[in-house]
Amino acid sequence: MSSSNQTQRISPDLPWTVRLLLAAHVLITDACRRSNITINRRLLNLFDPKVSPSSKPHNGVSSFDINIDPLRHLWFRLFIPMVTSDVSSIPIIIYYHGGGFASNSPNSIAINSLARRFSRRLKAIVVSVNYRLAPEHRYPTQYDDGFGALRFLDNVDNTNHFLPSNADLSQCFIAGDSAGGNLGHHVAVRASEYDFKRVKIVGFMAIQPFFGGEERTESEIRFSEGPVLSLKRTDWFWKAFLPEGSDRDHPASNVFGPKADLDISGLKFPATLMVVGGFDPLQDRQRSYYEELKRSGKEVKMVEYPNAIHAFYAFPMLTESSLVINDMNDFMEKQLAQRG
Ligand SMILES: *[C@@H]1O[C@H](CO)[C@@H](O)[C@H](O)[C@H]1NC(C)=O
């Protein structure tokens, strides 16, 4: 079966290196996900080698692992860019990685590289948070861990020497991709209702955030077989993450859906950047989210890359993976300038 209709294409032109990496990734994760909603962690870890932090600058960025609470494996990898010392304040990005809530960690090779790239190119300190994974830990563990990292930063004082003196806690951004984008949203909601001592969230960067719902959207149907995400995979991730017995209209997944009771208009929700890819099955939900923020009177900007697949940002060989950092940079500069 083939369709010559350009607007209905379901796969973009991709370099063979990307195709190969994607095929391997899908093969491995599918082999580790079991139909009884458990994960073969031993097998998955074999294909997810970890890298150590590097206090010696690597590509102009040094990194350190900071423990928050060993009991719940809460820690983060801190990335510090070598910016000139006369910079009086450096913004901080609290970053939540993707992986369907079920895989990856800040010391995974791809996540480590991405966070370092954010730090170098955005001239920001990046706090890449390790949150516990599903299905061993389900909702709301990931949100609690994500918010826990913010509260920890809020309590950092001069006796905690891991932050450079020009790190500016009043210039914090939340960023997350895919499941990390979903996490970022829920942390941003909690943060807008919380009285921080020093932390101030000035922006939220939602990179292809993972939202769901019972009713299928047009883009979910069109890209139901991928690339990268398929309905079978996303349904599995929701099953592994949401409380047992709940459906995809759970407010964690369908954040403005029929079972959600979220009126964002009254919240001090941060200015938001929404990043959308034209070959991402999640794009319709991301557009609805953008519309809802706008309707609620929030500052929100959407950037779209027509040729981008889900998780494009993880492939430096793709043009869009550079473009998105430029767009993030513009967004951050604008937010920081508005604050004077
Ligand atoms: C799920 O399946 C795996 C492999 O077949 C099995 O080892 C495991 O005990 C099962 N777990 C549950 C909770 O059913």
Side-chain angles (χ1 to χ4, degrees):
M1 226 170 47
S2 75
S3 163
S4 56
N5 187 340
Q6 279 299 305
T7 61
Q8 291 298 312
R9 275 195 320 153
I10 58 161
S11 182
D13 299 322
L14 292 170
W16 68 268
T17 43
V18 174
R19 287 191 185 279
L20 202 66
L21 286 166
L22 279 177
H25 172 79
V26 164
L27 199 71
I28 293 158
T29 49
D30 281 359
C32 298
R33 287 187 299 108
R34 300 190 185 109
S35 55
N36 66 5
I37 320 293
T38 59
I39 285 189
N40 187 341
R41 285 281 166 212
R42 247 191 323 173
L43 185 60
L44 189 62
N45 284 336
L46 274 184
F47 293 102
D48 180 18
K50 308 297 196 289
V51 286
S52 303
S54 164
S55 57
K56 211 176 95 206
H58 178 85
N59 280 349
V61 177
S62 50
S63 52
F64 310 86
D65 286 348
I66 310 294
N67 248 311
I68 300 177
D69 180 1
L71 282 181
R72 45 178 180 152
H73 300 287
L74 189 53
W75 58 274
F76 59 85
R77 182 158 290 182
L78 179 71
F79 296 85
I80 301 179
M82 303 288 106
V83 291
T84 47
S85 53
D86 59 359
V87 173
S88 61
S89 76
I90 308 181
I92 301 174
I93 298 173
I94 294 91
Y95 167 62
Y96 305 114
H97 65 77
F101 301 108
S103 52
N104 295 333
S105 69
N107 53 3
S108 299
I109 290 178
I111 306 298
N112 180 70
S113 306
L114 186 60
R116 197 199 298 118
R117 197 145 51 95
F118 285 158
S119 178
R120 182 179 69 247
R121 299 263 319 263
L122 299 171
K123 297 180 181 61
I125 289 167
V126 173
V127 169
S128 177
V129 181
N130 187 67
Y131 54 88
R132 286 168 289 177
L133 300 176
E136 294 87 341
H137 303 276
R138 288 170 180 267
Y139 164 91
T141 306
Q142 289 74 9
Y143 303 160
D144 291 344
D145 289 354
F147 192 62
L150 260 189
R151 289 189 52 183
F152 175 81
L153 283 178
D154 195 47
N155 287 308
V156 164
D157 58 38
N158 297 334
T159 59
N160 302 94
H161 292 300
F162 62 84
L163 286 178
S165 56
N166 48 6
D168 192 345
L169 285 164
S170 73
Q171 301 188 342
C172 284
F173 290 82
I174 293 174
D177 61 280
S178 198
N182 173 297
L183 214 161
H185 159 79
H186 289 280
V187 170
V189 168
R190 284 194 195 182
S192 50
E193 295 171 315
Y194 189 82
D195 217 2
F196 288 110
K197 291 193 295 255
R198 298 173 65 199
V199 161
K200 198 158 183 330
I201 310 290
V202 297
F204 168 38
M205 298 185 273
I207 308 167
Q208 301 187 297
F210 186 29
F211 296 125
E214 278 301 306
E215 199 184 324
R216 304 300 191 190
T217 67
E218 193 273 327
S219 62
E220 283 173 343
I221 293 165
R222 181 155 33 113
F223 300 108
S224 60
E225 296 298 325
V228 192
L229 290 178
S230 64
L231 277 179
K232 223 169 113 187
R233 283 179 210 117
T234 52
D235 285 357
W236 191 96
F237 285 129
W238 289 125
K239 266 210 195 88
F241 168 69
L242 295 171
E244 279 180 66
S246 44
D247 65 21
R248 294 185 304 272
D249 281 335
H250 189 283
S253 148
N254 200 351
V255 296
F256 293 119
K259 291 184 185 166
D261 183 24
L262 178 60
D263 178 9
I264 210 151
S265 57
L267 294 182
K268 283 183 291 170
F269 199 79
T272 299
L273 175 70
M274 171 61 76
V275 175
V276 175
F279 285 92
D280 186 350
L282 304 177
Q283 62 187 286
D284 286 353
R285 296 196 184 277
Q286 294 156 355
R287 289 202 181 89
S288 305
Y289 180 88
Y290 163 81
E291 292 299 338
E292 190 59 38
L293 287 196
K294 245 188 9 189
R295 234 191 324 273
S296 308
K298 300 304 162 194
E299 182 180 344
V300 56
K301 180 181 175 173
M302 181 159 66
V303 291
E304 296 187 54
Y305 309 114
N307 274 314
I309 54 171
H310 190 74
F312 70 92
Y313 45 83
F315 301 98
M317 55 288 243
L318 296 177
T319 319
E320 289 86 355
S321 132
S322 237
L323 295 180
V324 70
I325 295 194
N326 297 342
D327 283 323
M328 290 167 78
N329 194 46
D330 291 349
F331 173 79
M332 289 177 67
E333 277 184 357
K334 182 166 176 231
Q335 296 314 317
L336 295 175
Q338 278 177 0
R339 301 189 63 253

